[in-house]
Amino acid sequence: MPATAKPVARSSEAWRQQLGATGDGRHPRRGSPPPEALPIAERHPSHPTALSHRNLQPIDRLIVLRDGTLPAAAWNQALNDKAHLMRLWPRGQERPESPDWDADLRPAQVINIQPDRRGHLGRLARTVLRLQTVLVLGGGGARGLAPIGALAAMEEVGLDETDVVMGVSIGSLVASLLAFGLSSGEILSQLERVIIRSSPYNLTLPRDALFTLANPRREMELFFGPTRLQDCWLRLHCFSTNLSRNRLQAWCLGSIPTAVITSMSMPGSFPPVEDSRGDLHVDGGILNNLPIAAARGLSDGRVIAVSLDVDPDTADQDSPDRKRRRSSIARTIISAMMCTSHSQSRAQENLADLVLKPEIGAYPLLGWKSYREIVLADQGHARSRLGDGTRFRRAATPRS
């Protein structure tokens, strides 16, 4: 799309007509079957299954447009990791759905658009131009609820054009709720139900971990139901540490509860999670607690990050009994595991347009009783950094 092109506002029905299919899956012209039912040789050259690796080479950005309500169509595996699948949904659709998702379908990204919903056509344009606004949420135990305060401050100044949300550890849980359009107040209410009131840590036989996250998983399954990562209104990435391949891995497809639990599975405290290939995964914060580089690799637009890393020598500096306190075994183990992660996170901070770093060192990693104070601390910090939001509402410009 040329840089000067502007999105055209159309009704959901108009979008479906342009897709070339009616509600019953028949082609509107001559009552013919949809293109997916035709042999490859008879399909239009622009149909996804007609593209080859050679055809893809001169294409800068391939957008595959589909009606989200129709059954899954044929997919060319040459498009995996290259094409951007854009699914259009009719007015009144509460959430996108993928009941018949093919495991071999792995587009570079899935974008869900409801043309009649506020802000969605703008998101479509920013995605095509690679100017998405990306929000990155770090992890940190109870401190991981702090980003809710930042979200509240962004709402106050009208910064609501987030297109992609990424999360690590408990940050992935906050991100998963934000990806469905929940407000900061609604996210806090859900986290109170999932974490605060559900006894998140279940003691287990110490074979591969001390605790399980069975209760949070159950609560998430109740909330998300059959909805998957590719069904979010905002594109969602949950990061884990792949122990089998020694790398940070983003979860973009599949079960939301599984992705979030995997991202939160601190080794020793919670058991590792095995994926469909047999790889073992643990908490993404072990390798990088704030993957800003991944966000910058996805977009030339605005990147905002909420860092919850606390320097060891400043943690608890406001606590009156700081000199008398000794680090617990759990805290010592977690701090030792996170040393490299903190270095990685700080090295990437210059890639973001804004990094919010609330002063929450006085609150311990497992200080769940102080969650409201933690949220308010970040809200106050974000207010001071955002001001009236004017400079962050300006159109993002591509980086050279």
Side-chain angles (χ1 to χ4, degrees), residues 137-138 144-145 166-179 187 190-192 194-195 216 219-220 223-224 236-238 256-257 259-261 263-264 368:
L137 307 180
L145 274 65
M166 297 180 169
V168 176
S169 195
I170 194 172
S172 66
L173 177 54
V174 179
S176 68
L177 298 170
L178 178 62
I187 292 174
Q190 288 296 328
L191 290 180
E192 286 176 331
V194 174
I195 296 294
E219 296 296 330
M220 281 189 281
F223 177 81
F224 292 114
L236 172 63
H237 287 196
C238 300
I256 296 176
V260 172
I261 291 296
S263 184
M264 294 171 56
W368 299 105

Side-chain angles (χ1 to χ4, degrees), residues 177-394:
L177 298 170
L178 178 62
F180 283 97
L182 272 66
S183 67
S184 59
E186 292 170 330
I187 292 174
L188 181 59
S189 296
Q190 288 296 328
L191 290 180
E192 286 176 331
R193 179 181 64 84
V194 174
I195 296 294
I196 306 301
R197 294 197 295 264
S198 71
S199 301
Y201 305 146
N202 303 96
L203 191 63
T204 186
L205 291 176
R207 186 178 61 179
D208 52 5
L210 296 175
F211 306 96
T212 71
L213 290 168
N215 285 347
R217 174 184 282 277
R218 184 183 64 251
E219 296 296 330
M220 281 189 281
E221 289 173 345
L222 288 174
F223 177 81
F224 292 114
T227 310
R228 308 184 190 186
L229 288 160
Q230 60 267 35
D231 299 330
C232 303
W233 289 122
L234 304 184
R235 186 177 175 188
L236 172 63
H237 287 196
C238 300
F239 288 89
S240 68
T241 296
N242 187 323
L243 294 178
S244 303
R245 301 174 190 270
N246 191 30
R247 64 180 176 86
L248 193 69
Q249 180 167 318
W251 295 63
C252 312
L253 302 172
S255 164
I256 296 176
T258 296
V260 172
I261 291 296
T262 302
S263 184
M264 294 171 56
S265 294
M266 180 63 67
S269 298
F270 309 110
V273 177
E274 184 177 345
D275 67 16
S276 59
R277 296 179 301 184
D279 291 352
L280 291 180
H281 297 257
V282 295
D283 195 307
I286 297 299
L287 283 183
N288 192 336
N289 204 37
L290 200 67
I292 297 174
R296 182 52 68 200
L298 179 69
S299 172
D300 295 321
R302 186 179 298 113
V303 173
I304 299 175
V306 182
S307 173
L308 306 179
D309 289 347
V310 177
D311 293 329
D313 58 344
T314 60
D316 302 321
Q317 62 182 358
D318 297 325
S319 177
D321 59 345
R322 182 190 181 204
K323 292 183 179 180
R324 296 191 300 271
R325 292 181 60 179
R326 298 185 63 181
S327 180
S328 65
I329 294 177
R331 180 178 175 184
T332 300
I333 293 174
I334 293 173
S335 298
M337 288 190 295
M338 298 289 287
C339 283
T340 301
S341 173
H342 293 331
S343 299
Q344 287 283 341
S345 301
R346 293 188 179 107
Q348 296 180 11
E349 287 182 359
N350 64 327
L351 298 175
D353 297 282
L354 174 67
V355 179
L356 299 174
K357 304 182 74 170
E359 296 181 3
I360 51 177
Y363 303 100
L365 285 170
L366 302 181
W368 299 105
K369 293 182 179 180
S370 304
Y371 73 96
R372 290 190 176 275
E373 290 89 336
I374 293 172
V375 171
L376 290 174
D378 197 13
Q379 185 172 0
H381 172 74
R383 280 173 177 163
S384 65
R385 295 293 309 278
L386 293 172
D388 62 2
T390 302
R391 73 184 181 97
F392 296 103
R393 278 194 294 269
R394 294 171 183 168

Side-chain angles (χ1 to χ4, degrees), residues 11-81:
S11 67
S12 298
E13 180 60 30
W15 281 105
R16 285 196 291 274
Q17 289 294 333
Q18 181 165 339
L19 284 172
T22 58
D24 61 0
R26 303 286 294 178
H27 200 273
R29 293 186 295 275
R30 303 181 301 282
S32 60
E36 289 77 15
L38 296 172
I40 291 179
E42 297 180 28
R43 296 175 194 165
H44 191 277
S46 64
H47 190 267
T49 56
L51 291 170
S52 66
H53 287 286
R54 180 177 296 179
N55 298 142
L56 289 170
Q57 289 178 0
I59 299 176
D60 295 317
R61 205 159 176 77
L62 177 62
I63 307 293
V64 177
L65 196 64
R66 282 189 177 172
D67 186 335
T69 63
L70 295 181
W75 181 261
N76 185 350
Q77 292 195 24
L79 305 183
N80 280 343
D81 304 320

